[in-house]
Amino acid sequence: MGNGNNTRLKLKEALRNQAHALGFDVVGFAAPQPPPGVERLRPWLAQGRHGSMIWLEKNVARRLDPALVLPGVGVVVTLGMNYRPPRVAAEDESASHRPKIAAFARNEDYHDVIKARLGKLARWLEQTWGKPLGGRVFVDTAPVMEKPLAVAAGLGWQGKNTLLVSRKWGCWLFLGEYFLPLDLPPDRPFLGHHCGTCRRCCDVCPTGALDGHGGLDARRCIAYLTVESKDPIPREYRESMGNRVVGCDECLTICPWNRFTPATQEKAFLPRQDLDHMSLLEWIDWDEAQFRHFFKKSGIKRIGRGRFLRNMAIALGNWGEEAAVNGLIRLTYESDSLIRGAVAWGLGQAVRQKKSQTAQTLAAAHLKRWVHEESDPLVLAEIHGAMS
Ligand code: B12
Ligand code: SF4
Ligand code: SF4
């Protein structure tokens, strides 16, 4: 294949068409240079807004500049796949005895699905080109700022929920990139910001994580607290978590730019039927092997059973009825103190909420016994907090 302008444009269009044929809904080409907006990363890190995600502090220079990620890169093909669920949440998810799981975790792990699809795109291109090209594909798997890159590729803007919002597809898009060592002409960056005076995402956020100016404090975000953080969830956010046990979709769901987004066509992203109608109690008796088996294809396995049960204990506390208290009591015997600490809070929450006299009495009596048996200082502090 030659190097003329015409040939490059043709190749670009062929690549775009092939990406669509492989199921990508949006495709754009970004210049291999720092995309607009990335200069905010350093101040964001300096303010500690990334919490315990210290991996974000590593390779900052590379994160800012795609040319350092793959020397010789000529263009960054930036792609997105719509994952809007047919129903945003199972109807009965608002019931406090049901777990609320964000759409990204309701079926197969998007990293695996999209990476495989990007691999197919790369193989197709190499066959068309006639020889290996040495490109790299990423889905949240390299120090890359995917949203600013998507803006640079003309796909949309970063909304006040901080996510990439497309005028056509809204914000239910997973992003991925194909770093390509071919000198293809980039698309025009997306200029402008179409949030206007809207601030619905900021107002709906249960923990006030969005500052209204396009910034997010991850330490307050339920997605961070339930998925990324390995620590006890700070007390001030536990009640606001409600029954959200994995991630949070509130600031996506509310966005008016999703109004015309169709449901995903991608089977792997359709919500698993067996998650619907499950009670919180059905999940807590699984051992490690059962947990891993049930979630073997899901992103939830990355969270691990310990963090998952920590989150479940908080949701059980917020449910606060007798059945929830019985579930919490069963979790008291877990060896992981992260889980037991959350269980202590859950029991205290059941006492405070006074949803039923029996639940309250049962929880208070268990705390009284447990305080004499527990030896872990952090769990003991939680028990004392729950009893006060
Ligand atoms: C770290 C991370 C998180 C963290 C922090 C989120 C965040 N907003 O930074 C946590 C754990 C909280 C998180 C949560 C979620 N995440 Co996440 N996450 C990432 C990750 C790995 C890095 C993001 C990053 O660099 N953050 C650092 C900050 C500084 O950068 P930034 O968000 O890009 O943008 C800042 C600046 O650029 C600047 N800025 C840029 N332009 C402008 C313009 C103006 C006017 C202003 C004022 C500021 C500004 O302000 C922004 C906010 O501080 C990316 C994958 C990747 N490698 O990019 C996925 C990614 C962003 N996550 C994704 C998803 C789906 C989610 C969740 C929806 C999952 C869920 N349901 O639970 C939530 C959404 C929460 C939210 N509102 O952001 C998708 C988003 C797709 C999209 N359409 O945008 C990504 C791209 C993964 C992927 N491959 O698809 N995530
Ligand atoms: S994901 Fe939830 S907690 Fe995080 S910013 Fe959005 S609404 Fe707030
Ligand atoms: S809800 Fe409103 S403010 Fe938030 S991203 Fe969507 S349009 Fe922007």
Side-chain angles (χ1 to χ4, degrees):
M1 213 177 270
N3 277 331
N5 255 351
N6 220 6
T7 318
R8 289 191 298 155
L9 285 176
K10 272 193 187 151
L11 181 65
K12 209 177 133 180
E13 277 330 290
L15 195 56
R16 205 189 290 275
N17 291 338
Q18 184 63 18
H20 285 307
L22 285 167
F24 289 101
D25 297 293
V26 292
V27 187
F29 295 74
Q33 62 195 34
V38 294
E39 64 282 357
R40 293 184 178 262
L41 176 65
R42 281 204 170 100
W44 189 75
L45 292 171
Q47 288 161 9
R49 288 174 155 210
H50 57 308
S52 61
M53 296 183 288
I54 45 164
W55 43 273
L56 280 164
E57 292 168 19
K58 293 184 188 145
N59 305 313
V60 169
R62 267 204 274 171
R63 203 171 276 282
L64 299 179
D65 186 357
L68 301 178
V69 174
L70 181 71
V73 60
V75 76
V76 180
V77 191
T78 304
L79 308 100
M81 225 181 243
N82 170 29
Y83 73 105
R84 183 184 176 144
R87 287 168 301 142
V88 166
E91 269 130 38
D92 50 6
E93 255 184 35
S94 53
S96 54
H97 67 290
R98 305 268 190 223
K100 203 168 189 176
I101 296 174
F104 84 90
R106 293 185 75 90
N107 204 335
E108 291 184 32
D109 191 334
Y110 72 89
H111 300 91
D112 300 339
V113 175
I114 296 186
K115 200 140 190 218
R117 217 59 69 81
L118 286 170
K120 279 191 181 169
L121 184 65
R123 280 195 294 281
W124 169 86
L125 182 64
E126 292 190 339
Q127 271 166 13
T128 310
W129 191 252
K131 59 178 183 199
L133 286 163
R136 298 281 306 276
V137 297
F138 303 119
V139 188
D140 202 352
T141 43
V144 169
M145 296 193 74
E146 300 189 312
K147 294 175 284 181
L149 269 174
V151 176
L155 302 185
W157 72 99
Q158 280 190 252
K160 290 179 193 165
N161 58 11
T162 79
L163 299 170
L164 189 273
V165 188
S166 144
R167 259 206 289 227
K168 182 166 176 205
W169 294 94
C171 41
W172 295 100
L173 283 171
F174 290 133
L175 300 176
E177 302 77 34
Y178 180 12
F179 279 57
L180 195 52
L182 282 184
D183 195 13
L184 298 183
D187 290 333
R188 268 202 308 226
F190 190 95
L191 298 173
H193 197 267
H194 294 278
C195 288
T197 55
C198 173
R199 43 170 291 131
R200 290 187 201 184
C201 50
C202 312
D203 296 338
V204 80
C205 175
T207 48
L210 298 166
D211 64 17
H213 304 289
L216 167 134
D217 190 339
R219 292 166 299 184
R220 305 176 76 101
C221 175
I222 293 170
Y224 163 79
L225 295 168
T226 55
V227 176
E228 294 292 336
S229 168
K230 299 184 172 85
D231 303 319
I233 290 171
R235 278 185 206 165
E236 64 262 43
Y237 307 126
R238 293 176 187 169
E239 190 163 338
S240 314
M241 268 173 59
N243 60 343
R244 295 179 195 84
V245 290
V246 180
C248 170
D249 281 336
E250 305 300 332
C251 59
L252 287 81
T253 309
I254 196 96
C255 181
W257 286 98
N258 295 324
R259 243 182 328 218
F260 305 111
T261 315
T264 182
Q265 296 291 306
E266 187 51 58
K267 261 203 211 128
F269 299 151
L270 288 171
R272 270 169 74 162
Q273 303 273 318
D274 56 358
L275 292 187
D276 284 355
H277 316 301
M278 275 180 102
S279 146
L280 286 166
L281 293 171
E282 283 172 76
W283 312 62
I284 59 172
D285 296 320
W286 289 342
D287 62 17
E288 186 68 39
Q290 287 166 307
F291 173 83
R292 294 203 142 264
H293 178 71
F294 191 79
F295 292 123
K296 66 176 180 292
K297 285 181 149 189
S298 153
I300 294 180
K301 69 176 178 302
R302 291 177 196 258
I303 303 173
R305 181 172 172 275
R307 270 182 270 174
F308 185 72
L309 287 182
R310 168 199 64 186
N311 303 344
M312 295 297 274
I314 290 173
L316 285 167
N318 286 328
W319 171 15
E321 309 262 11
E322 186 183 344
V325 171
N326 280 321
L328 283 165
I329 292 173
R330 295 209 295 281
L331 287 175
T332 315
Y333 303 102
E334 285 290 333
S335 59
D336 185 346
S337 58
L338 183 70
I339 302 171
R340 294 203 309 285
V343 168
W345 179 86
L347 289 167
Q349 176 72 346
V351 175
R352 281 187 297 276
Q353 287 197 93
K354 302 187 178 122
K355 283 200 176 161
S356 92
Q357 183 64 48
T358 328
Q360 207 183 346
T361 316
L362 201 61
H366 189 76
L367 282 166
K368 246 188 196 168
R369 270 197 306 277
W370 187 11
V371 74
H372 300 296
E373 292 159 14
E374 180 61 56
S375 57
D376 185 293
L378 289 177
V379 182
L380 266 173
E382 289 282 3
I383 299 176
H384 286 299
M387 289 170 78
S388 61

